[in-house]
Amino acid sequence: MEADLLSRLEALEKESLRRTLRLVTSAQGPEIEWAERRLLNFSSNDYLGLATERCLLDAARRALDQYGVGAGASRLVCGTLAPHADLESALVAWKRVEAALVFSSGYAAAVGGISALVGADDVVILDKLSHASLIDGARLSGAKLRVFPHNNLERLESHLKWARAHYPKARVLVVTESVFSMDGDRSSLREIVDLKERYDAWLMVDEAHAVGLFGRKGCGLVDAEGLQGRVEIQMGTLSKALGGSGGYLCGSRALVDWLVNKARSFVYSTAPSPVVAAVGAAAVRWMETEEASERRARLRSNVERLVKNTAGVFTEAQSAILPIKFGGAERALRASAALLEAGFWVPAIRYPTVAKGTERLRVTVSAVHSEVALDALGQAVLGVREGGSEAN
């Protein structure tokens, strides 16, 4: 086995696709410490700077003192503790749904949710750029799988027609992200909702990169587009704009009751730490504060400033994610290394996370980035482009 694995690792190395772990020795924030260097961090999904927010730290300490570190068992055994119920209640109020269910991660929510809702006699239709967890959940379900080109509504409708013609009794589930994790663009949610209703399908929307940023009190793009009550399954994470960790699915009471019984990643996993759940509830409630509104506005201003100061390097920003695409993994790695040398942490994103030929630097902006840091990154990005690293 050893020789085989080493051979395969060598093949990855030759294609500039081998990954290694790099140890960060500080808390997450607009600056991080790596290899005894302080670097400006433009890769984190902590869009609102909550990972070290005082109210979240205080919530963690209180939960630690009262409930300890571990939940002790799965939720269906004896692992459902007050912080879990409190978090789910906070999500229900924030998202304006009947019920919510918390998972240990967004990946667990996606895999467990999709495979619980559909099976071998059903059909799943996915946007091609959907997150790996959504793809894995669809494959694990055993359902017939169809993929439509990114945001291509004509192909989506074609797949819906095919599903209804060939599998008239099937459950048909359409799956998409609201804000796509690697390109930062938005889904055509209104049109997708109209189509799924026309063909009597269900819709699951992953709001991982939208919650906290869009909609009433940051509750997501579904709300911002006025689609509450028309999306059967909303998914999200507590690990990006909300600053903690974990995932959730929410919708009707019947949906959550079914997931409690059939989502294997929920049923057969130890419950999330009560500390993590308490942090999630504190983050959700923080989203409804005036400070949260101010921070969302600051994030929008920061994104606009960076885009304006980089002379067309970035296309029109639809979120806090700003990709710079390259013509290969090696070029993306060189650009990342150049920025690292200049004091910026922006790792290269390569296949299979993105398609070959679309390797990129995925710049993410936070509300807590200073104008000085944003302007410095802008100059560095322009320098990388002028040096010939950036692909047209």
Side-chain angles (χ1 to χ4, degrees):
M1 185 176 90
E2 188 79 3
D4 177 68
L5 293 175
L6 289 172
S7 175
R8 285 192 273 171
L9 285 168
E10 184 178 348
L12 287 177
E13 188 78 46
K14 288 179 179 178
E15 295 182 70
S16 298
L17 295 178
R18 183 171 179 175
R19 292 161 169 80
T20 58
L21 298 175
R22 294 188 285 183
L23 179 64
V24 174
T25 53
S26 65
Q28 284 294 320
E31 293 185 17
I32 56 175
E33 186 175 285
W34 170 77
E36 299 183 349
R37 293 182 61 191
R38 295 295 296 180
L39 301 167
L40 291 170
N41 182 15
F42 282 92
S43 68
S44 172
N45 296 321
D46 184 22
Y47 301 124
L48 298 178
L50 283 193
T52 56
E53 188 70 21
R54 175 57 56 187
C55 66
L56 272 63
L57 299 178
D58 290 343
R61 292 188 183 99
R62 289 193 298 269
L64 180 63
D65 289 342
Q66 185 169 0
Y67 297 99
V69 175
S74 69
R75 292 282 301 275
L76 286 172
V77 178
C78 65
T80 296
L81 305 177
H84 302 119
D86 185 48
L87 171 55
E88 288 163 354
S89 294
L91 286 167
V92 165
W94 186 47
K95 299 286 287 183
R96 290 188 290 173
V97 292
E98 290 181 1
L101 190 66
V102 174
F103 291 73
S104 58
S105 69
Y107 190 98
V111 171
I114 295 174
S115 60
L117 291 168
V118 292
D121 297 327
D122 302 318
V123 178
V124 177
I125 304 174
L126 283 150
D127 187 292
K128 184 177 177 63
L129 296 188
S130 293
H131 190 267
S133 63
L134 302 170
I135 296 169
D136 290 352
R139 288 173 173 167
L140 183 63
S141 74
K144 286 80 178 173
L145 181 58
R146 290 292 182 271
V147 176
F148 60 96
H150 180 48
N151 270 341
N152 188 318
L153 298 171
E154 289 184 7
R155 188 66 65 84
L156 170 59
E157 183 167 19
S158 175
H159 288 331
L160 285 165
K161 286 180 179 177
W162 170 86
R164 283 296 165 226
H166 290 84
Y167 302 96
K169 296 182 180 180
R171 302 176 185 89
V172 179
L173 176 64
V174 178
V175 180
T176 186
E177 299 181 44
S178 58
V179 171
F180 286 84
S181 59
M182 289 296 114
D183 286 276
D185 61 335
R186 304 181 195 178
S187 175
S188 303
L189 274 184
R190 292 182 186 177
E191 293 84 354
I192 291 173
V193 167
D194 288 342
L195 283 172
K196 70 93 180 177
E197 290 177 346
R198 190 180 310 164
Y199 291 93
D200 191 26
W202 298 342
L203 176 60
M204 179 174 177
V205 177
D206 179 3
E207 292 260 56
H209 294 275
V211 289
L213 279 64
F214 302 101
R216 181 195 63 91
K217 298 180 179 178
C219 70
L221 198 61
V222 169
D223 179 85
E225 296 288 343
L227 299 172
Q228 285 287 8
R230 297 178 67 189
V231 175
E232 286 79 7
I233 310 111
Q234 294 186 53
M235 173 183 154
T237 69
L238 304 162
S239 57
K240 296 177 173 59
L242 277 78
S245 66
Y248 63 84
L249 293 170
C250 61
S252 69
R253 181 74 258 172
L255 167 70
V256 168
D257 286 350
W258 180 257
L259 294 172
V260 166
N261 284 274
K262 293 294 184 178
R264 293 171 69 86
S265 61
F266 173 85
V267 174
Y268 299 108
S269 289
T270 295
S273 164
V275 175
V276 168
V279 166
V284 168
R285 293 189 173 105
W286 181 89
M287 288 292 166
E288 305 194 39
T289 66
E290 183 61 33
E291 184 180 3
S293 297
E294 293 171 357
R295 213 168 287 189
R296 282 189 283 272
R298 197 182 316 154
L299 175 60
R300 290 191 293 271
S301 176
N302 283 353
V303 171
E304 290 168 2
R305 185 183 186 94
L306 181 58
V307 171
K308 180 180 178 181
N309 290 344
T310 47
V313 172
F314 302 109
T315 57
E316 181 184 0
Q318 297 185 37
S319 69
I321 302 165
L322 302 174
I324 312 173
K325 295 182 181 179
F326 293 81
E330 188 176 347
R331 296 183 71 190
L333 287 169
R334 285 204 306 268
S336 177
L339 289 180
L340 183 65
E341 181 65 24
F344 301 93
W345 183 276
V346 190
I349 307 296
R350 295 163 284 162
Y351 177 84
T353 305
V354 296
K356 289 183 177 180
T358 69
E359 293 84 359
R360 68 197 63 189
L361 300 184
R362 177 184 178 271
V363 174
T364 54
V365 181
S366 170
V368 294
H369 280 131
S370 68
E371 291 183 352
V372 171
L374 291 162
D375 294 347
L377 177 68
Q379 290 300 309
V381 164
L382 290 172
V384 168
R385 185 184 64 174
E386 291 167 2
S389 295
E390 202 271 320
N392 295 322

